[in-house]
Amino acid sequence: MNYDKLCKDIFEIDNSVRFANVYNKHGEVVSGGMHKDKESLLNREEALMSLYYSKQMFEKHKNLSHRLGKERYSMTEYQNVKLLTISLRDDNLLLISLEPKSDHCKMITSILKVVENPHAS
């Protein structure tokens, strides 16, 4: 999967996308970044902590995947941002932050279309 194109396509969905990064299983950034017109709400240490928590959550959810199927995404809504974590086919994670007033249902549907069929975008 071309992660540079994936992140670019996600940013193009809507201006409410603040951040989109793909991380490998070692927690290293594979692609992505901040939207050029947005500022990060987290410093570097806090961003690493957020990634760690997202990875832990997905590891915990794997315990039930044999019964429920592979998790597609998780969302956490804070006052200042909405965070999406999406599991990619190769077990990498896609982390996305959205503006708090965004229509997250619409955004999740659009983002999953890009993630699950990257050649159609």
Side-chain angles (χ1 to χ4, degrees):
M1 180 178 284
N2 181 339
Y3 293 125
D4 292 333
K5 181 173 179 354
L6 175 68
C7 290
K8 180 181 179 282
D9 290 347
I10 289 170
F11 280 118
E12 290 176 357
I13 291 172
D14 190 276
N15 196 40
S16 67
V17 177
R18 299 178 49 78
F19 168 89
N21 261 11
V22 175
Y23 295 91
N24 66 20
K25 63 184 176 185
H26 305 292
E28 300 164 332
V29 176
V30 176
S31 185
M34 288 294 301
H35 187 281
K36 63 182 177 183
D37 298 330
K38 313 283 182 179
E39 288 187 32
S40 178
L41 299 175
L42 302 175
N43 65 36
R44 187 179 187 311
E45 184 176 301
E46 293 164 333
L48 289 172
M49 194 174 1
S50 177
L51 169 63
Y52 174 79
Y53 293 147
S54 295
K55 286 176 60 177
Q56 289 298 101
M57 177 188 55
F58 266 85
E59 288 302 316
K60 287 191 299 187
H61 292 170
K62 280 184 184 180
N63 292 332
L64 297 175
S65 64
H66 68 286
R67 302 291 266 172
L68 301 175
K70 185 176 179 182
E71 182 176 358
R72 293 174 69 202
Y73 71 90
S74 292
M75 188 190 97
T76 304
E77 183 173 354
Y78 295 92
Q79 285 180 318
N80 298 325
V81 70
K82 295 176 182 181
L83 298 179
L84 299 176
T85 306
I86 299 174
S87 177
L88 300 176
R89 290 185 192 124
D90 52 10
D91 287 331
N92 288 345
L93 289 181
L94 172 62
L95 273 62
I96 300 169
S97 67
L98 304 172
E99 293 293 341
K101 294 187 189 310
S102 65
D103 180 345
H104 58 267
C105 292
K106 178 182 153 197
M107 292 300 297
I108 289 168
T109 299
S110 297
I111 291 167
L112 288 176
K113 283 181 185 175
V114 171
V115 168
E116 293 172 354
N117 192 5
H119 302 295
S121 59

